[in-house]
Amino acid sequence: MSTLARIQTHRAATVSVAIVSTLLALAAPIHAQQRGGSQAPPPDTLNDPVRLMVARLDLEKYKATIKGLTQFGDRRQGTERNRKAVDWIEAQLKSYGCTPTERITYTYTTPPRRDSTGRGGGGRGRGNTAQGGGRFRGVRTPTGVNADSLKQPNPKLRALDTPQTVDGERQEVFCTKVGSTHPGEMYIVGGHMDGIGWGEAANDDGSGTALVMELARVFSSPDVKTDRSIRFVLWNNEESGTNGARAYIAQRDSLQGKEDPPGSGKYPEPKWLGMIQHDMMMFDHGMPRPDGTMSPEQRPEADVNIEFQVTSKQAEGAQKLAWFFQTANEKYATDYPARVGQHMTNTDSGPFQDLVPSISLRENERGEQIGAGWDPQWHQPTDLYSTYNDKDFRLGLNAAQTTLGAIALLTGATLVK
Ligand SMILES: [Zn+2]
């Protein structure tokens, strides 16, 4: 071995130790949990329980769950198809053993019309500044919400998507994996089940909803034990302005960490340790070409974008959480890497961002990339299950592997005989 080779070998060993130490060091300040801390022996990769849990995620199961959601068309909030989708999701959660399921009930009234998206400028931001901060670079193509029924060429789907929103009562469903040693503390893992645009909302946000459901399935297995609790929430009314997440906060923020009834060991609303949102997980074909067309294939350098909001009150904890997820991606995701960005915006983690460390996982950066037209299916009739192939579905699966790995470490998940 040459001196150079020896130095390189030494450096490689130092780096791998550094990665493990970083994982442990990051876990510590997020909450007080430590299983041996830096004194722990190096992990047994072959028998790593987290790796075994991640292996229970499956591309075909993930695809089947997305396909199941698309039977309810775009699942627009305030419609019968949206309510049927909530019922279907609840039935799946029960079948996984994630019981009891619970619902948040609230009332939604459509605010006075501002523009076609209700969010300003087709989700693009102003001038050269993207929503959430950051700058647009390179080629940009138009974005917006399709409101024209005739743009949906499939008459069956067009008929399914025809009934429009009626103001009134809304519901959204969640279930909880109860921690065995700290049941009164939890991470919230979310995706939004409603969609818009006269398609099937397969990617936005069937892909994030299915990811959360698949994690509920894996964590609800009888042989999985966690120290802390995990709540799986399928938000409604995201597309109208994150109203489902806001209703949850309004009803449950003040209940955090309270044992009820006293002495029962039950915590209806465990203390929030972090909020992790999943929104549009599958399509990263790159920047639009100069002529406005897109690469038909997932780009090989596709990545999962983990975003926190640098201007939020919880930015310090949120960015630690984001880097923890990036490190979990390096350890557990099979195909695609993850990148961290500081401009999280326009999703259900937004209402939580000043209350608790909050991040979102997405196929692209929401402001700079989605806002510049990187996803031509976004809120369009082409957001159909049949639009995507396995390279697209696999990006979503890699995000699922990332969150499962990170949440398993953060909650002290183990496999029991
Ligand atoms: Zn969305």
Side-chain angles (χ1 to χ4, degrees):
M1 194 186 276
S2 72
T3 307
L4 181 61
R6 206 170 288 138
I7 289 168
Q8 283 169 339
T9 307
H10 175 73
R11 192 175 292 158
T14 309
V15 168
S16 65
V17 168
I19 289 169
V20 172
S21 321
T22 304
L23 261 175
L24 291 168
L26 279 171
I30 289 168
H31 56 64
Q33 177 231 348
Q34 271 297 18
R35 288 184 298 156
S38 55
Q39 307 306 314
D44 174 352
T45 304
L46 181 64
N47 298 303
D48 174 4
V50 177
R51 194 173 295 280
L52 298 172
M53 284 176 230
V54 170
R56 293 175 178 184
L57 291 168
D58 176 86
L59 186 65
E60 293 308 318
K61 282 201 178 83
Y62 178 57
K63 286 164 64 178
T65 307
I66 297 172
K67 179 86 182 143
L69 288 160
T70 62
Q71 71 184 292
F72 306 100
D74 65 6
R75 305 180 298 283
R76 181 183 285 269
Q77 58 88 16
T79 63
E80 183 67 21
R81 62 188 181 281
N82 174 279
R83 289 187 286 275
K84 282 185 175 166
V86 175
D87 292 344
W88 184 83
I89 291 166
E90 183 168 35
Q92 306 311 304
L93 295 174
K94 283 183 176 161
S95 77
Y96 306 150
C98 198
T99 53
T101 55
E102 297 173 71
R103 290 190 183 203
I104 300 284
T105 301
Y106 59 98
T107 301
Y108 179 70
T109 308
T110 309
R113 189 183 166 89
R114 284 185 298 161
D115 60 57
S116 62
T117 68
R119 290 178 171 189
R124 295 171 63 92
R126 297 178 78 105
N128 212 30
T129 303
Q131 285 190 318
R135 276 175 61 192
F136 289 117
R137 317 264 183 173
V139 179
R140 290 167 65 182
T141 54
T143 59
V145 178
N146 174 58
D148 181 359
S149 59
L150 290 177
K151 294 236 170 86
Q152 177 47 257
N154 176 343
K156 216 177 137 192
L157 180 55
R158 191 194 306 148
L160 179 60
D161 282 349
T162 291
Q164 294 301 292
T165 299
V166 177
D167 286 351
E169 185 186 283
R170 300 284 185 273
Q171 289 195 321
E172 59 196 4
V173 65
F174 65 87
C175 67
T176 309
K177 170 79 178 180
V178 178
S180 53
T181 60
H182 295 76
E185 299 175 12
M186 72 172 175
Y187 286 89
I188 301 174
V189 176
H192 72 87
M193 51 70 64
D194 66 312
I196 47 175
W198 292 89
E200 291 176 335
N203 187 34
D204 185 11
D205 188 25
S207 63
T209 300
L211 183 159
V212 174
M213 292 169 69
E214 283 294 284
L215 262 59
R217 176 178 66 79
V218 172
F219 279 110
S220 299
S221 174
D223 64 349
V224 173
K225 192 166 81 66
T226 62
D227 293 339
R228 287 179 167 74
S229 299
I230 311 165
R231 179 156 290 173
F232 304 95
V233 191
L234 292 315
W235 311 108
N236 204 342
N237 275 90
E238 192 273 348
E239 298 291 4
S240 54
T242 62
N243 310 95
R246 290 170 199 279
Y248 182 98
I249 292 169
Q251 294 181 23
R252 305 190 73 93
D253 185 5
S254 63
L255 306 177
Q256 283 186 68
K258 289 184 182 157
E259 192 181 32
D260 184 26
S264 66
K266 290 190 177 9
Y267 296 84
E269 190 65 25
K271 178 179 157 50
W272 306 341
L273 300 176
M275 156 54 171
I276 299 98
Q277 170 76 356
H278 304 82
D279 197 352
M280 305 169 71
M281 311 311 302
M282 302 201 294
F283 191 90
D284 187 4
H285 293 208
M287 182 183 285
R289 295 161 174 155
D291 66 358
T293 61
M294 298 293 299
S295 164
E297 284 283 312
Q298 189 81 289
R299 54 177 182 158
E301 65 272 29
D303 55 20
V304 178
N305 291 84
I306 302 166
E307 298 183 89
F308 66 97
Q309 179 45 259
V310 68
T311 64
S312 69
K313 286 184 184 155
Q314 299 284 339
E316 194 181 334
Q319 72 172 295
K320 278 183 185 146
L321 191 61
W323 287 115
F324 190 87
F325 271 62
Q326 202 272 346
T327 308
N329 167 278
E330 288 184 349
K331 194 165 183 198
Y332 295 113
T334 48
D335 310 278
Y336 295 108
R339 300 285 172 247
V340 172
Q342 59 177 338
H343 301 303
M344 181 182 80
T345 186
N346 278 304
T347 196
D348 294 303
S349 42
F352 286 89
Q353 69 183 19
D354 289 335
L355 306 173
V356 62
S358 301
I359 59 173
S360 71
L361 276 68
R362 233 187 254 265
E363 62 194 13
N364 287 305
E365 298 226 338
R366 169 60 183 79
E368 291 169 43
Q369 298 179 340
I370 301 286
W374 286 39
D375 188 334
Q377 281 74 244
W378 183 42
H379 298 157
Q380 297 301 312
T382 51
D383 191 359
L384 309 170
Y385 181 83
S386 61
T387 298
Y388 307 99
N389 68 30
D390 278 2
K391 289 180 184 169
D392 302 312
F393 291 116
R394 199 171 287 286
L395 183 63
L397 185 77
N398 274 252
Q401 294 167 334
T402 301
T403 296
L404 198 158
I407 289 292
L409 291 172
L410 289 169
T411 60
T414 51
L415 287 169
V416 292
K417 292 259 158 61

Coordinates of all heavy atoms in Angstrom, one line a residue, residues 163-200:
P163 N -68.7 17.1 -10.6 CA -69.3 17.8 -9.5 C -68.3 18.7 -8.8 O -67.1 18.3 -8.5 CB -69.7 16.7 -8.5 CG -69.9 15.5 -9.4 CD -68.9 15.6 -10.5
Q164 N -68.6 20.0 -8.5 CA -67.7 20.9 -8.0 C -67.9 21.1 -6.5 O -68.9 20.6 -5.9 CB -67.8 22.2 -8.8 CG -67.3 22.1 -10.2 CD -65.8 21.6 -10.3 OE1 -64.9 22.3 -10.0 NE2 -65.6 20.4 -10.8
T165 N -67.0 21.9 -5.9 CA -67.0 22.0 -4.4 C -68.3 22.7 -3.9 O -68.8 23.6 -4.4 CB -65.8 23.0 -4.1 OG1 -64.6 22.4 -4.5 CG2 -65.8 23.3 -2.6
V166 N -68.8 22.1 -2.8 CA -70.0 22.7 -2.1 C -69.5 23.0 -0.7 O -68.9 22.1 0.0 CB -71.2 21.7 -2.0 CG1 -72.3 22.3 -1.2 CG2 -71.6 21.3 -3.4
D167 N -69.6 24.2 -0.2 CA -69.2 24.6 1.1 C -69.8 23.8 2.2 O -71.0 23.4 2.0 CB -69.5 26.1 1.3 CG -68.5 27.0 0.5 OD1 -67.6 26.5 0.0 OD2 -68.8 28.2 0.5
G168 N -69.2 23.6 3.3 CA -69.8 22.9 4.4 C -68.8 22.1 5.2 O -67.6 22.4 5.3
E169 N -69.3 21.0 5.8 CA -68.5 20.2 6.7 C -67.5 19.4 5.9 O -67.7 18.9 4.7 CB -69.4 19.1 7.4 CG -68.6 18.3 8.4 CD -69.5 17.2 9.0 OE1 -70.3 17.5 9.9 OE2 -69.3 16.0 8.6
R170 N -66.3 19.3 6.4 CA -65.2 18.5 5.8 C -64.6 17.6 6.9 O -64.7 17.9 8.1 CB -64.0 19.5 5.4 CG -64.4 20.5 4.4 CD -64.5 19.9 3.0 NE -64.7 21.0 2.0 CZ -65.9 21.5 1.7 NH1 -67.0 21.0 2.3 NH2 -66.1 22.4 0.8
Q171 N -64.0 16.5 6.4 CA -63.3 15.6 7.3 C -62.0 15.2 6.7 O -61.8 15.2 5.5 CB -64.2 14.3 7.6 CG -65.4 14.6 8.5 CD -66.0 13.4 9.0 OE1 -66.1 12.4 8.3 NE2 -66.5 13.5 10.3
E172 N -61.0 14.8 7.6 CA -59.8 14.2 7.2 C -59.4 13.2 8.3 O -59.8 13.3 9.4 CB -58.7 15.3 7.1 CG -58.4 16.1 8.4 CD -57.6 17.4 8.2 OE1 -57.3 17.7 7.0 OE2 -57.3 18.0 9.2
V173 N -58.7 12.2 7.8 CA -58.4 11.0 8.7 C -57.0 10.9 9.1 O -56.1 11.3 8.4 CB -58.9 9.7 7.9 CG1 -58.1 9.4 6.7 CG2 -59.0 8.5 8.8
F174 N -56.8 10.3 10.3 CA -55.4 10.0 10.7 C -55.4 8.8 11.6 O -56.4 8.4 12.1 CB -54.8 11.2 11.5 CG -55.4 11.6 12.8 CD1 -55.0 11.0 14.0 CD2 -56.3 12.6 12.8 CE1 -55.6 11.4 15.2 CE2 -56.9 13.0 14.0 CZ -56.5 12.4 15.2
C175 N -54.2 8.2 11.8 CA -54.0 7.1 12.7 C -52.6 7.2 13.3 O -51.8 8.0 12.8 CB -54.2 5.7 12.1 SG -53.0 5.3 10.8
T176 N -52.4 6.5 14.4 CA -51.2 6.8 15.2 C -50.5 5.5 15.7 O -51.2 4.6 16.1 CB -51.6 7.6 16.5 OG1 -52.4 8.7 16.1 CG2 -50.4 8.0 17.3
K177 N -49.2 5.4 15.5 CA -48.4 4.4 16.1 C -48.0 4.9 17.5 O -47.3 5.9 17.6 CB -47.2 4.1 15.2 CG -46.1 3.2 15.8 CD -46.5 1.8 15.7 CE -45.5 0.8 16.3 NZ -45.9 -0.6 16.1
V178 N -48.5 4.2 18.5 CA -48.2 4.7 19.9 C -46.9 4.2 20.4 O -46.5 3.0 20.3 CB -49.3 4.2 20.8 CG1 -49.0 4.7 22.2 CG2 -50.7 4.8 20.3
G179 N -46.0 5.1 20.8 CA -44.7 4.8 21.3 C -44.8 4.0 22.6 O -45.7 4.3 23.5
S180 N -43.8 3.1 22.9 CA -43.9 2.3 24.1 C -43.3 2.9 25.3 O -43.8 2.6 26.4 CB -43.3 0.9 23.8 OG -42.0 1.1 23.3
T181 N -42.3 3.8 25.1 CA -41.7 4.4 26.3 C -42.1 5.9 26.5 O -42.1 6.5 27.5 CB -40.2 4.3 26.4 OG1 -39.7 4.9 25.2 CG2 -39.8 2.8 26.4
H182 N -42.3 6.6 25.3 CA -42.7 8.0 25.3 C -43.9 8.2 24.5 O -43.9 8.9 23.4 CB -41.5 8.9 24.8 CG -40.3 8.9 25.7 ND1 -39.4 7.8 25.7 CD2 -39.8 9.8 26.5 CE1 -38.5 8.1 26.5 NE2 -38.7 9.3 27.0
P183 N -45.1 7.7 24.9 CA -46.3 7.8 24.0 C -46.8 9.2 23.9 O -47.5 9.5 22.9 CB -47.3 6.9 24.8 CG -46.8 6.9 26.2 CD -45.3 6.9 26.1
G184 N -46.3 10.1 24.8 CA -46.8 11.5 24.8 C -46.0 12.4 23.9 O -46.2 13.6 24.0
E185 N -45.2 11.9 23.0 CA -44.4 12.7 22.1 C -44.5 12.0 20.7 O -44.4 10.8 20.6 CB -42.9 12.8 22.5 CG -42.7 13.4 23.9 CD -41.2 13.3 24.3 OE1 -40.4 13.0 23.4 OE2 -41.0 13.6 25.5
M186 N -44.6 12.9 19.7 CA -44.8 12.3 18.3 C -44.2 13.1 17.2 O -44.1 14.3 17.3 CB -46.3 12.0 18.0 CG -47.1 13.2 17.8 SD -48.8 12.7 17.2 CE -49.5 14.4 17.1
Y187 N -43.9 12.4 16.1 CA -43.7 13.0 14.8 C -44.9 12.9 14.0 O -45.6 11.9 14.0 CB -42.5 12.4 14.1 CG -41.2 12.7 14.7 CD1 -40.6 12.0 15.8 CD2 -40.5 13.9 14.3 CE1 -39.5 12.4 16.4 CE2 -39.3 14.2 14.9 CZ -38.8 13.5 16.0 OH -37.6 13.8 16.6
I188 N -45.3 14.0 13.2 CA -46.4 14.0 12.3 C -45.9 13.7 10.9 O -45.0 14.4 10.4 CB -47.2 15.3 12.4 CG1 -47.7 15.5 13.8 CG2 -48.4 15.3 11.4 CD1 -48.3 16.9 14.0
V189 N -46.4 12.7 10.2 CA -46.0 12.4 8.9 C -47.3 12.6 8.0 O -48.3 11.9 8.2 CB -45.5 10.9 8.8 CG1 -45.2 10.5 7.4 CG2 -44.3 10.7 9.7
G190 N -47.2 13.5 7.1 CA -48.4 13.9 6.3 C -48.3 14.0 4.8 O -47.2 14.1 4.3
G191 N -49.5 13.9 4.2 CA -49.6 14.1 2.7 C -51.0 14.6 2.5 O -51.9 14.4 3.4
H192 N -51.3 15.3 1.4 CA -52.7 15.8 1.2 C -53.4 14.9 0.2 O -52.9 14.6 -0.8 CB -52.8 17.2 0.9 CG -52.3 17.6 -0.5 ND1 -53.2 17.6 -1.6 CD2 -51.1 18.1 -1.0 CE1 -52.5 18.1 -2.6 NE2 -51.2 18.3 -2.3
M193 N -54.7 14.5 0.6 CA -55.4 13.6 -0.2 C -56.3 14.2 -1.3 O -56.9 13.6 -2.1 CB -56.2 12.6 0.7 CG -57.1 13.2 1.8 SD -58.5 14.0 1.2 CE -59.4 12.6 0.4
D194 N -56.5 15.6 -1.2 CA -57.3 16.2 -2.2 C -56.5 16.7 -3.3 O -55.3 16.9 -3.2 CB -58.0 17.4 -1.5 CG -57.1 18.6 -1.1 OD1 -56.0 18.2 -0.4 OD2 -57.3 19.7 -1.4
G195 N -57.2 16.9 -4.5 CA -56.5 17.4 -5.7 C -57.4 18.3 -6.5 O -58.6 18.5 -6.1
I196 N -56.9 18.8 -7.6 CA -57.6 19.6 -8.5 C -57.1 19.4 -10.0 O -56.1 18.8 -10.2 CB -57.5 21.1 -8.2 CG1 -56.0 21.5 -7.9 CG2 -58.4 21.5 -7.0 CD1 -55.8 23.0 -7.7
G197 N -57.8 20.0 -11.0 CA -57.2 20.1 -12.3 C -57.8 19.2 -13.4 O -57.3 19.1 -14.5
W198 N -58.9 18.4 -13.0 CA -59.6 17.6 -14.0 C -58.8 16.4 -14.5 O -58.9 16.0 -15.6 CB -60.1 18.4 -15.2 CG -61.2 19.4 -14.8 CD1 -61.0 20.6 -14.4 CD2 -62.6 19.1 -14.8 NE1 -62.3 21.2 -14.1 CE2 -63.2 20.3 -14.4 CE3 -63.4 18.0 -15.2 CZ2 -64.6 20.4 -14.3 CZ3 -64.8 18.1 -15.1 CH2 -65.4 19.3 -14.6
G199 N -57.9 15.9 -13.6 CA -57.2 14.6 -13.9 C -57.5 13.6 -12.8 O -58.6 13.6 -12.3
E200 N -56.5 12.9 -12.4 CA -56.6 11.9 -11.3 C -55.8 12.3 -10.1 O -55.7 11.5 -9.1 CB -56.2 10.5 -11.7 CG -57.1 9.9 -12.8 CD -56.6 8.5 -13.3 OE1 -55.4 8.3 -13.2 OE2 -57.4 7.7 -13.7

